[in-house]
Amino acid sequence: MTTDKDFETQRLTDCFVRIDANLGEIGERLSDYQRDIQAAHDHMWEARRDMDHLDKVAMRQSIDQMMRSTDILRAEAKKLEKLRKSPYFGRFDFRRSDRNQATAYYIGIHDFRDEETQEPWVYDWRAPVSSLFYDFETGPAHYEAPSGKIPGDLALKRQFRIRNGAMEFMLDVSVNIVDDMLQEELARASDDGMKNIVATIQRDQNAIIRDAEAHTLIIQGVAGSGKTSIALHRIAFLLYRFKDTLSSSDILIISPNQVFADYIGNVLPELGEETVPEIGMETLAAQILGDKIRFQSFFEQTARLLESDDEAMKERIRTKAAPEFLRQIEAHAQHLEKTTFVPSDVVVRKRPLPGFVFETTWERLKHLDTAERIVATGNSVIEQFEAQYNIELRKEERAVIRKAARGMVKRTTLRKAYKEFFDWIGRPELFRATGGKLEYADVFPLIYLQMLTEGVENPYAGVKHLLVDEMQDYTPVHYAVLARLFKCRKTILGDATQAVNPYSASTPERIEQVLDGAWRVTLNKSYRSTWQIMQFALKISPNPDLVAMERHGPDPDLALVRSQKDALAHIVSAARDFRASDHISLAVLAKTQGQAKRLHKALKDAGVEARLLEDGSTGFSTGVVVCTPHLAKGLEFDRVIIPDASEAVFSTEMDRNLLYVACTRAMHRLSLISVGRPSVFLDGVWTLDALHEGRPAI
């Protein structure tokens, strides 16, 4: 093993030498380009009176070409600087069946080929051959190359940890490398954002990442399964695989909030790709509807449900989230199509123009929105009339036909048509607007009705791949709208058991029914939390399919207190303990935003530095954070405290989901406080006798 280590240490040193040499050469070429560009600018200035137009155009084109070349060189230098810290993380030796000797492949975040010798020192983790590292142990193996299947034998598999230019360790597959490396990575404290996982991608994850065939891929992943990270690595793979036809600007991410968008924002740049545009579902709706419609946000809807427990509101939300509601909107749109246009006969130049001519023309132009359709109908009827009678109508006669066409259309406002829809289905009580503001549950049904009856301008026609996170929070109507806006390939991910609003939650099966050509995959292994935390969470919301990673840590603890003052004292003490630890993130997750605000103020008054996350927050941060489970979805923290897990706070089915989400945000430590009797959802975890005796949680 000493010989192997010496070899790998020397090989790493040699790799750094070649990286430095390439960086030096790039630096020299950049200096040459800068001199040439400056010289060209100077020449253009000095010879500006003697140069004709063609000379100036040629000179500008030359300067532009040199500028593009410098941009390419700077990007290459940036990539090499990143490799200088950690050029690779794995090695495997593969002998093709048609060859006698095995070839050693080293894989890293980027590829590196020596400019001078053209020797490949590092292969990109996304390269076809690199899939061998993720998919096979030693023995028979194969990979899919552009030329077809390449069979062979994997003779060696080795993993490294290289940080800041130094090799910390190397391990062979014979010591269960993948599990050991994964356990060590998972045991580390959290970062200030989501990490790339290229060194620890598992075989099932790799299959999802490298799937280039599915038009719509639905990823159902349990809490902590890495589904968001996998989706982002999939985007990075597709950008590599289709680099000639797909760029970062061609991709759009629909994320739940700006905090989450900031949290995941560093993954693609770490993988060497540009940041992908991101948008929230409410922003998308506002762009389509414009300023004419004001509406409640999903955050406001959830907050109101938690604070009021309004049964009528639950019924409105539940009804509009059902697949049947989508069919009713489509049926109503067909009804409007049949009743909106009332044809009538017109006489022009004493010649009859029957109403059926208008009607058949109107029907033929149904692909247009209403305004365009009216104009096109009038123009088409004029052309038919002139052709039939072989005459040319005067301007005022054409105006008569156009006016008649407009008069045959029963026009109404979108909002009024939508309100009348509920009368049409016999459920007028389902429509409710407060202060002229639509409920969030009405926003996408309204947009869908507009699409079916008027059409909408599509600002996203150029998007080539759509990624939708937290899929469970969107209804069938949401997906019907997305299907019409985005004809492109899609990656959709989430977890049906983590819906903060169970009344509007969608399952993967419901989503499949709306999106044609969808393919569903399931991730059941949870990596984020310790085994003890996941076993605790599963007692709150059982899931027999979830497999917890056996990484062990302290049992979750529950403090039973008499008052909010006592609870605050526990949180202050826990915050001090956190500050003294090597952990970098602690989340205090209150059920509602109002509770979070009050708690944040109390902590501030007690001298605890903490940040409050709200609906308008735009960035993720480490340290002590106070927020709700709703805003914490998709995030992870070293430690989590639930400030009041009493039966007075967590009692409904919606509360159960929130409690489960809150618990599964914790990576290493989970603490709960109950002011009075604990929630009924904790009955399977502790008994009151055990709590009073101080016995362990599980």
Side-chain angles (χ1 to χ4, degrees):
M1 191 64 192
T2 303
T3 304
D4 286 345
K5 187 170 184 180
D6 290 343
F7 171 82
E8 296 293 3
T9 302
Q10 184 59 52
R11 205 260 180 193
L12 179 61
T13 301
D14 294 343
C15 185
F16 286 140
V17 169
R18 297 317 309 157
I19 290 174
D20 289 341
N22 278 250
L23 280 169
E25 184 177 338
I26 288 173
E28 291 177 6
R29 291 168 65 186
L30 282 171
S31 296
D32 291 342
Y33 273 125
Q34 287 169 352
R35 284 194 298 270
D36 292 344
I37 290 169
Q38 186 60 52
H41 279 299
D42 292 343
H43 175 71
M44 282 190 70
W45 175 254
E46 293 167 1
R48 63 188 183 278
R49 292 186 179 88
D50 300 326
M51 297 175 69
D52 61 22
H53 175 69
L54 292 178
D55 290 335
K56 290 178 181 178
V57 169
M59 184 63 74
R60 289 194 186 99
Q61 288 176 342
S62 176
I63 292 172
D64 288 344
Q65 180 59 49
M66 287 189 286
M67 293 291 287
R68 285 192 292 270
S69 296
T70 60
D71 289 342
I72 293 171
L73 286 174
R74 287 194 184 98
E76 182 66 19
K78 187 177 180 181
K79 184 173 77 172
L80 291 177
E81 290 288 357
K82 189 172 290 187
L83 287 180
R84 189 65 183 78
K85 298 177 182 178
S86 181
Y88 46 83
F89 54 80
R91 168 190 169 176
F92 59 88
D93 294 2
F94 181 66
R95 182 186 62 80
R96 291 175 50 147
S97 297
D98 57 354
R99 296 179 185 173
N100 295 325
Q101 289 187 323
T103 301
Y105 296 86
Y106 290 79
I107 62 171
I109 286 182
H110 305 297
D111 67 292
F112 169 50
R113 185 178 293 270
D114 188 3
E115 281 288 324
E116 183 178 329
T117 64
Q118 289 301 301
E119 179 183 359
W121 282 81
V122 183
Y123 286 83
D124 193 295
W125 67 277
R126 298 166 290 186
V129 70
S130 299
S131 64
L132 290 166
F133 182 79
Y134 301 111
D135 290 344
F136 294 96
E137 303 301 327
T138 53
H142 65 270
Y143 71 95
E144 294 294 333
S147 58
K149 184 176 178 180
I150 308 296
D153 189 78
L154 203 62
L156 173 72
K157 187 173 176 182
R158 181 172 288 165
Q159 195 149 4
F160 309 93
R161 173 174 287 163
I162 302 168
R163 288 182 180 168
N164 298 319
M167 185 185 295
E168 295 185 354
F169 65 77
M170 53 172 272
L171 291 171
D172 283 2
V173 71
S174 58
V175 293
N176 199 19
I177 171 59
V178 173
D179 283 348
D180 287 356
M181 190 74 172
L182 181 58
Q183 287 274 11
E184 187 163 343
E185 286 296 316
L186 294 172
R188 291 170 54 198
S190 62
D191 290 334
D192 56 359
M194 184 174 283
K195 299 175 284 190
N196 80 70
I197 59 169
V198 291
T200 56
I201 292 171
Q202 305 298 287
R203 184 172 184 172
D204 57 342
Q205 297 172 334
N206 190 49
I208 295 170
I209 289 169
R210 293 175 184 265
D211 185 342
E213 302 301 323
H215 183 272
T216 297
L217 187 65
I218 299 175
I219 306 172
Q220 160 60 39
V222 297
S225 59
K227 52 189 172 292
T228 301
S229 187
I230 291 166
L232 292 170
H233 284 67
R234 170 170 161 76
I235 292 298
F237 170 77
L238 294 173
L239 287 168
Y240 175 88
R241 172 71 173 78
F242 301 107
K243 62 183 71 174
D244 294 332
T245 58
L246 186 68
S247 68
S248 297
S249 60
D250 297 326
I251 300 168
L252 183 67
I253 297 176
I254 295 180
S255 63
N257 54 64
Q258 285 297 311
V259 174
F260 179 78
D262 179 64
Y263 179 67
I264 68 173
N266 195 48
V267 174
L268 286 170
E270 269 193 12
L271 296 172
E273 302 295 345
E274 297 294 324
T275 302
V276 167
E278 173 274 334
I279 193 173
M281 197 67 88
E282 286 95 341
T283 304
L284 184 148
Q287 288 181 352
I288 295 172
L289 294 173
D291 299 332
K292 58 188 177 183
I293 303 289
R294 293 172 54 244
F295 56 84
Q296 179 188 56
S297 69
F298 181 65
F299 180 88
E300 290 170 333
Q301 180 196 72
T302 303
R304 184 174 172 187
L305 278 171
L306 290 172
E307 291 165 1
S308 68
D309 197 28
D310 185 335
E311 289 298 331
M313 185 179 181
K314 291 179 188 178
E315 174 60 18
R316 292 195 296 273
I317 294 171
R318 190 184 294 112
T319 300
K320 294 164 190 175
E324 298 76 26
F325 189 71
L326 177 64
R327 305 281 86 84
Q328 287 176 315
I329 295 174
E330 293 169 343
H332 185 58
Q334 292 177 356
H335 167 73
L336 290 177
E337 172 68 27
K338 294 175 182 176
T339 58
T340 296
F341 193 83
V342 182
S344 59
D345 297 338
V346 179
V347 176
V348 179
R349 285 200 191 178
K350 299 182 180 180
R351 291 181 172 87
L353 184 49
F356 72 80
V357 176
F358 288 91
E359 185 175 21
T360 55
T361 304
W362 176 262
E363 180 66 23
R364 178 167 51 83
L365 297 170
K366 63 169 57 177
H367 61 283
L368 300 175
D369 65 40
T370 303
E372 292 176 325
R373 197 174 177 186
I374 291 171
V375 173
T377 297
N379 291 337
S380 178
V381 170
I382 289 170
E383 291 177 2
Q384 294 175 60
F385 186 85
E386 290 181 330
Q388 180 178 354
Y389 293 107
N390 194 26
I391 60 175
E392 184 175 347
L393 294 175
R394 293 186 295 273
K395 181 179 179 180
E396 59 272 18
E397 292 170 333
R398 293 178 181 177
V400 168
I401 295 176
R402 291 192 178 104
K403 183 179 180 181
R406 286 196 301 273
M408 295 175 194
V409 180
K410 291 183 179 179
R411 304 193 71 178
T412 185
T413 65
L414 176 63
R415 188 187 181 105
K416 185 178 179 183
Y418 181 67
K419 185 176 185 297
E420 290 173 349
F421 158 65
F422 293 100
D423 295 326
W424 186 76
I425 63 173
R427 300 289 304 276
E429 76 281 2
L430 292 177
F431 181 82
R432 181 173 178 181
T434 304
K437 208 173 185 181
L438 284 182
E439 290 187 323
Y440 179 74
D442 288 311
V443 176
F444 280 82
L446 178 73
I447 292 174
Y448 193 49
L449 183 64
Q450 182 183 16
M451 286 180 159
L452 295 175
T453 58
E454 300 178 6
V456 298
E457 185 177 343
N458 187 358
Y460 308 106
V463 173
K464 295 181 180 178
H465 197 103
L466 178 70
L467 189 153
V468 181
D469 208 341
E470 300 298 341
M471 67 181 185
Q472 69 277 1
D473 289 338
Y474 307 123
T475 68
V477 179
H478 280 89
Y479 289 104
V481 170
L482 293 180
R484 285 177 170 261
L485 285 177
F486 301 95
K487 306 294 185 183
C488 59
R489 294 178 181 271
K490 302 174 186 68
T491 300
I492 297 173
L493 59 140
D495 179 14
T497 65
Q498 292 188 68
V500 294
N501 182 354
Y503 313 109
S504 65
S506 281
T507 62
E509 292 80 7
R510 280 191 175 184
I511 298 170
E512 277 184 291
Q513 292 171 7
V514 180
L515 300 177
D516 293 334
W519 178 259
R520 175 160 43 106
V521 293
T522 304
L523 296 170
N524 286 326
K525 192 161 189 179
S526 179
Y527 299 94
R528 175 190 298 132
S529 307
T530 62
W531 188 87
Q532 285 79 5
I533 291 172
M534 281 312 304
Q535 296 309 305
F536 174 86
L538 286 172
K539 285 184 168 60
I540 296 171
S541 182
N543 182 354
D545 296 326
L546 188 149
V547 179
M549 180 82 175
E550 291 210 31
R551 177 176 66 84
H552 293 277
D555 290 328
D557 57 87
L558 172 64
L560 202 61
V561 300
R562 295 178 180 272
S563 67
Q564 293 293 344
K565 183 178 179 181
D566 294 336
L568 179 64
H570 271 272
I571 298 170
V572 171
S573 176
R576 288 174 183 153
D577 179 66
F578 159 72
R579 293 292 187 191
S581 73
D582 60 355
H583 290 156
I584 68 169
S585 62
L586 165 65
V588 185
L589 301 180
K591 174 183 164 182
T592 70
Q593 194 63 33
Q595 292 166 357
K597 285 182 178 179
R598 291 190 292 273
L599 181 57
H600 177 256
K601 183 180 184 304
L603 287 173
K604 185 178 179 181
D605 293 342
V608 176
E609 184 181 344
R611 182 187 173 203
L612 175 66
L613 292 186
E614 302 179 89
D615 188 24
S617 298
T618 57
F620 178 79
S621 64
T622 53
V624 180
V625 172
V626 181
C627 67
T628 63
H630 178 195
L631 280 178
K633 270 199 318 173
L635 309 180
E636 59 186 28
F637 305 88
D638 291 318
R639 302 185 181 196
V640 166
I641 297 173
I642 299 173
D644 191 356
S646 66
E647 63 179 359
V649 176
F650 290 97
S651 58
T652 69
E653 197 60 28
M654 186 174 184
D655 295 339
R656 180 202 292 271
N657 287 11
L658 287 170
L659 189 58
Y660 176 78
V661 169
C663 292
T664 55
R665 299 310 94 200
M667 297 171 63
H668 310 299
R669 292 282 297 272
L670 173 63
S671 299
L672 299 91
I673 301 167
S674 179
V675 183
R677 185 179 182 87
S679 167
V680 65
F681 304 126
L682 301 178
D683 285 353
V685 185
W686 287 291
T687 65
L688 287 177
D689 289 341
L691 283 173
H692 289 304
E693 293 170 14
R695 296 209 298 267
I698 297 175

